[in-house]
Amino acid sequence: MPKTSYTGRHRPAAKPSRGRQFVVPVALLSSTVAGGLVIRDAGASALSPEAAAMKNVSNSVAGLGLAADPDAVAAAAANRSGARSSRDMARDAKTLIISATTSAEETAAQARAAAEKAAADKAAAAKAKAAAAAKAKAAARERAIAKAHRWVSPVSGYTLTSGFGFRWGKMHPAQDLACPTGSAVHALSSGTVVFAGWSNEGYGNMVKIRYWDGTVSWMAHNSRLLVSVGEEVSPGQLVAYSGSTGNSTGPHVHLEIHPDDGAAVAPRTWLAKRGVYL
Ligand SMILES: [Zn+2]
């Protein structure tokens, strides 16, 4: 039946007054009361709808025990539910953002930590390498020193003749090593040549070497000298060829040992203490 047929008593009854009920515009509500909340206020009759709405909102926010319309509450609850869902989504999004940010920060922190560890490892490796190099260098230096400080026999292929002591009523402060003329005469250790020349005291061609420990050796009656004063020599270095120059009865090396360039001592005993056994 068309609406135009409504007439007389069939006109729809006047809409029941909703009394002092007002619909509060959503825009006027704070987030805590969002969602078209309908609030009844017994004391709002004298106010314009807008003023009453403002009052109701104010009262509602203040929590002054207002009675709410059940339908409106349900609607509001539905709206709040929707709003909550939106908030949940927002919160979830925020959580994701925070999570992503945290993840990025963690990744950056991990990268920094990894870089720092790599740098530390590299530094430690370099330090270890330097330490190993220093240790190797120290060991090499020790070996070099040990090699430089070793003692050797002045000649090879000799016969011990006159020893250290009195001979024919006179002190013989040396060890004679008889050997063919031209035999190689060696420096006993590392040192410096302090005399190389003809002796007018019966030693013939003589070489004196001061070693690293201060000891001075004399090697006399040589046929030929191969070093000069001031020359540095190493253990076993060829310094002369043996002979029988000066006051000598036959080819031999006359060896004297003067610790600290002082009085001569028995060469065999002295050398034996240094691992050289004549
Ligand atoms: Zn002698």
Side-chain angles (χ1 to χ4, degrees):
M1 195 181 285
K3 288 182 178 179
T4 53
S5 68
Y6 285 111
T7 55
R9 68 181 180 90
H10 293 290
R11 285 176 59 196
K15 191 178 180 183
S17 171
R18 301 208 56 175
R20 305 179 183 91
Q21 294 179 355
F22 302 95
V23 174
V24 179
V26 173
L28 294 175
L29 296 172
S30 71
S31 62
T32 56
V33 292
L37 183 60
V38 178
I39 302 165
R40 177 179 295 133
D41 182 348
S45 59
L47 300 174
S48 67
E50 292 78 8
M54 288 303 292
K55 186 174 190 292
N56 284 340
V57 169
S58 178
N59 287 342
S60 178
V61 171
L64 297 177
L66 301 176
D69 182 318
D71 292 339
V73 169
N79 286 335
R80 279 201 300 276
S81 178
R84 180 175 295 122
S85 293
S86 295
R87 285 200 301 276
D88 288 346
M89 288 174 67
R91 188 170 63 236
D92 288 348
K94 187 178 181 184
T95 301
L96 283 173
I97 291 168
I98 291 170
S99 180
T101 303
T102 303
S103 181
E105 287 172 353
E106 285 174 355
T107 301
Q110 287 168 358
R112 278 197 302 275
E116 285 169 4
K117 187 179 185 304
D121 288 350
K122 191 177 179 182
K127 191 175 180 183
K129 190 177 178 182
K135 191 176 179 182
K137 192 176 179 182
R141 187 164 56 242
E142 284 180 16
R143 283 196 300 275
I145 290 171
K147 187 178 179 183
H149 289 183
R150 76 187 195 279
W151 296 90
V152 301
S153 174
V155 290
S156 57
Y158 57 87
T159 300
L160 294 175
T161 49
S162 296
F164 183 87
F166 283 94
R167 182 181 62 177
W168 310 316
K170 183 184 176 186
M171 180 61 186
H172 178 244
Q175 175 64 54
D176 287 347
L177 300 102
C179 55
T181 294
S183 296
V185 176
H186 306 285
L188 304 181
S189 189
S190 294
T192 305
V193 176
V194 294
F195 179 86
W198 182 261
S199 165
N200 292 318
E201 299 171 342
Y203 292 100
N205 290 316
M206 180 163 67
V207 57
K208 293 183 180 179
I209 300 170
R210 183 177 62 241
Y211 299 101
W212 57 271
D213 69 343
T215 300
V216 178
S217 71
W218 297 11
M219 292 185 282
H221 309 306
N222 298 296
S223 59
R224 185 181 166 197
L225 301 176
L226 302 173
V227 291
S228 306
V229 172
E231 193 170 329
E232 300 289 327
V233 296
S234 56
Q237 183 176 325
L238 179 63
V239 295
Y241 287 116
S242 65
S244 189
T245 57
N247 187 10
S248 172
T249 58
H252 75 283
V253 172
H254 171 97
L255 174 65
E256 293 189 22
I257 297 293
H258 297 256
D260 295 322
D261 203 18
V265 298
R268 291 181 69 195
T269 304
W270 190 90
L271 280 171
K273 291 177 182 175
R274 290 156 182 78
V276 179
Y277 302 93
L278 299 178

